[in-house]
Each structure stands twice: as C-alpha cells, then as structure tokens.
Amino acid sequence: MLSGKIIGTGSYLPDFVMKNSDFEKLVETNDEWIVTRTGISERHISTGMENWEMGLNAAQNALEKAGVKAEAIDFIIGVTVTPDYFYPTLSNIVEAKLGATNASCFDVAAGCTGFVVGMDIAWQYLRSGKAKKVLVVSSESMTKTLDFTDRSSCVLFGDGAGAMLFDSTESGGIINTYTMCEPDPEGLLACRALKPNNPFIKERATIFNDLSDTHLRMGGRDTYKFAVRVLPKAITKVLEGTGVTLDEVKYIIPHQANLRIIDHVTEYLGIAHDKMYVNIDKYANTSSATVPIALDEMVGKGLLTPHDKIIFAGFGAGLTYGAALVEW
Ligand code: ACO
C-alpha cells in the first residue's frame, strides 16, 4: 500500500516578539489574564514580511533538511487564510521562488484545520501513485486580520509558517485522515474579503450583515465549546479501523488555540498531559501553521523516533475539524 512519509519539516517565525505586556498599551488587559485564560505569553509578529515570504522560508527549511531539490516536487499545496493575493496563490509564489518547476500548485483554505486538510489531500495523491513528492506549506499572517482595539481576540494570535515534505512510501507514513465540517450559518469565526463594487449593484445579498470590516470576528465562548467537542471526536475517528489505539500514540499535536482547550481535551480523553504537544505559550495561535510549526520544533528537540505514531488534530473556521494519524 502506497502512502506518504514526512521526510522534511520546516518552520519560520518572524523575529519580532510581542509580549503580553505590550498589549497593555493598546487595550485594557494584562499578562495575568492572558496567561491564565489562554496559556499564551508571547507571539511572533511580522513587522513587514509578506505572508508568502514566511512560507518560502519554511519550505526552504523543509527541503534543506530533507536534502531534496525543488525540481523533484510534484505538488505544492499552499495552506492559508491570510494570503497576500487572491491570485497568484501562496503555492504559486512559493513554487516560483523555490524554482519547483515540475510542480502543480493550489491552495487550501480550511481555517485553522487547513494543514490537516492539506495533509489529507497530499495523502490522496501519494497513495494513488499520482505524486511522489508533495510539499504542504502553511503561512499565516493572522495579525493583519486583527482589530487591535478588541481585547477578546487581538491577544490570541501570532504570525508564522510551517512546512512538511512528503515522499512516497510503501510502509509507514500517513495511516489515516479524518476531516469534517459543521455548518456555521451565523459566522462564529469569520473574516470579510472584498465587497462587490461594480457600478450596477442595487441590492447586496449578504450572509453576515453585521460583518462590515475586514477584521477577524470570533465568538470566543462558542468556539471554545465547539473545540472541546470536536477535537476528541476527530482524534477518535482517525483511529477507527486502523488497528492503532490511543495508548499506542506517542504524541498528539493539537491546533494551538488555547491551552485550556488542550487541557480539557487531555482530561476528557484520559491521557497523560505530556502526550499533548504544547507550544502556544511562545507563538499563540498561528491558525493553520500551528501544527507544522509544532512538528518542526519536536523534530528539532529530537522527540520522535522511527515508527512512533502521532496524531495531528485541528479545528477552526468553517467550522472545520479533522485529524491525521501518521507513523513517523
Ligand atoms: N483581557 C482582559 N479581559 C478580557 C480580555 C482580555 N484580553 N478578553 C476578554 N476579557 C474579558 C471579557 O470582556 C469578559 O469580561 P466581562 O465578564 O466583564 O464581560 C471576561 O474577560 C470573560 O470573557 P470570556 O469571553 O467569558 O472569557 P473566556 O474565559 O471565555 O476566554 C477566550 C475568552 C480566551 C477567547 C476563550 O473563549 C477562547 O479561547 N475561545 C476559543 C478561541 C479559539 O479557539 N479560537 C480559535 C480560532 S480558530 C480560527 O479559525 C480563527
């Protein structure tokens, strides 16, 4: 059975570190509130670097570690909800800058679940034999969507990028994926794009009437409830029919949105806290990039050994959620 094995990981975080205390000058908040309610202490934010450039750095990092030349890549799957352009896409720009001249490219937008969805799609190409090397690269400039006067959301996010390079394999690699989407008719997690502006508009059909600007809008408490409900489901579903038990999984790499969400899910599943990889304290929520950034950090720390079973799990706007089970 063909599958896809992760042969390279990469990440990029902008140099500028914004601490919780820096928000005290912008909104009525403090370090203690942010740490106890979210687990976040600081986040990296872009002070000018474009989204594609962070993604390119993460992709180059992954290729270098794998010792693979850009020309060998068959597909580049860009993952972002904060692109620089509607087109060309993140993947198009990364392809051009890498010189990945033999790659087909497209982007995936699935909120913070985007990387898991990207892995799911990569798996389809790899298991069918259509591709041998697939690069999945996420880059998110979340801070460009933030309203820095809204204390309930602006403290939660950061910028960053991560990448994984997959190679075709006949043993190990991706074992299973599970993705799902629950309708979000009220726009619990939403960010407006361009508005219609042709000269003939009479009436506009709007879905979220109250969403007038292009800032992120989030119902925090309902998002929290959604997350603690669907994360355990995604983790359970991805194991179904694989013969792999939760006990056999060495690490779960959850989307990093709030430490309390992760702790809640850890307790619900009855697993040890050190089975859940957590780095939200340093980077906050970088949307779809949290998962590959975390994996690259784990690789850097030497936490993984061949044949370890790991689960990536995400949730986010859409309302999307999902998981990927991988043999390292
Ligand atoms: N500093 C100080 N006080 C604050 C802040 C802040 N930064 N933010 C909110 N508060 C206040 C509120 O105004 C409220 O005050 P009030 O009681 O006087 O009205 C109080 O703190 C409690 O607010 P809650 O919203 O109940 O706080 P909660 O404990 O739920 O934490 C949070 C809020 C952190 C947003 C939490 O609900 C959460 O993490 N939700 C999930 C967020 C998430 O997962 N987002 C993922 C987005 S994924 C994507 O796709 C974009």
Side-chain angles (χ1 to χ4, degrees):
M1 274 265 284
L2 281 175
S3 187
K5 200 175 175 58
I6 301 166
I7 57 162
T9 64
S11 61
Y12 180 81
L13 279 310
D15 291 337
F16 185 76
V17 176
M18 185 170 182
K19 300 206 170 286
N20 287 347
S21 54
D22 294 324
F23 281 98
E24 291 169 13
K25 294 162 219 149
L26 303 173
V27 287
E28 204 183 319
T29 192
N30 55 68
D31 178 57
E32 200 251 332
W33 191 97
I34 302 171
V35 170
T36 53
R37 296 292 181 116
T38 72
I40 299 164
S41 295
E42 58 190 36
R43 71 285 293 140
H44 291 243
I45 74 171
S46 167
T47 53
M49 187 177 273
E50 290 221 78
N51 198 54
W52 65 263
E53 208 171 345
M54 295 197 299
L56 176 67
N57 286 335
Q60 277 170 335
N61 194 213
L63 287 182
E64 274 160 27
K65 285 189 202 147
V68 168
K69 293 215 177 327
E71 296 86 346
I73 303 169
D74 302 307
F75 276 90
I76 300 177
I77 303 175
V79 183
T80 188
V81 288
T82 53
D84 302 301
Y85 307 95
F86 289 130
Y87 46 86
T89 60
L90 169 65
S91 55
N92 295 148
I93 302 173
V94 168
E95 181 201 38
K97 295 285 179 185
L98 281 180
T101 44
N102 297 309
S104 180
C105 300
F106 58 89
D107 273 17
V108 168
C112 302
T113 319
F115 207 90
V116 171
V117 174
M119 290 176 79
D120 174 51
I121 299 168
W123 188 39
Q124 309 312 323
Y125 284 119
L126 290 155
R127 73 203 290 218
S128 68
K130 189 162 185 199
K132 290 209 179 325
K133 289 194 172 46
V134 182
L135 175 71
V136 185
V137 53
S138 154
S139 188
E140 300 285 14
S141 306
M142 289 306 288
T143 56
K144 70 184 176 188
T145 71
L146 299 179
D147 174 355
F148 277 92
T149 65
D150 175 11
R151 67 178 180 173
S152 67
S153 61
C154 71
V155 301
L156 302 177
F157 296 91
D159 301 330
M164 295 183 202
L165 181 66
F166 291 86
D167 196 7
S168 176
T169 181
E170 286 181 8
S171 69
I174 300 175
I175 299 169
N176 197 19
T177 58
Y178 171 79
T179 62
M180 191 42 67
C181 183
E182 198 168 288
D184 178 22
E186 305 302 324
L188 183 61
L189 283 163
C191 185
R192 209 182 197 315
L194 296 179
K195 292 180 184 176
N197 73 344
N198 74 61
F200 307 104
I201 292 166
K202 294 191 182 100
E203 264 179 49
R204 270 199 311 119
T206 55
I207 173 165
F208 308 129
N209 281 313
D210 54 333
L211 202 54
S212 54
D213 62 20
T214 51
H215 289 136
L216 169 147
R217 184 262 296 279
M218 179 184 71
R221 280 185 202 180
D222 286 338
T223 304
Y224 191 102
K225 287 184 204 153
F226 164 71
V228 296
R229 180 165 52 80
V230 300
L231 267 183
K233 181 180 168 193
I235 291 163
T236 308
K237 284 277 184 190
V238 83
L239 289 167
E240 258 176 36
T242 63
V244 179
T245 64
L246 190 52
D247 276 350
E248 290 168 329
V249 172
K250 185 159 179 200
Y251 287 108
I252 297 173
I253 304 166
H255 171 48
Q256 313 279 315
N258 186 323
L259 180 60
R260 287 191 296 140
I261 293 175
I262 297 172
D263 284 345
H264 186 110
V265 173
T266 306
E267 277 145 38
Y268 178 87
L269 292 172
I271 57 175
H273 278 271
D274 60 4
K275 197 177 216 161
M276 284 278 194
Y277 191 76
V278 176
N279 64 7
I280 191 173
D281 50 320
K282 290 179 288 182
Y283 310 126
N285 181 348
T286 55
S287 190
S288 68
T290 65
V291 160
I293 290 172
L295 181 67
D296 191 44
E297 192 172 84
M298 292 170 77
V299 170
K301 288 179 178 172
L303 293 179
L304 297 166
T305 45
H307 309 298
D308 281 346
K309 308 282 190 308
I310 49 181
I311 289 178
F312 303 91
F315 65 92
L319 297 166
T320 53
Y321 59 101
L325 171 65
V326 171
E327 181 179 323
W328 186 247

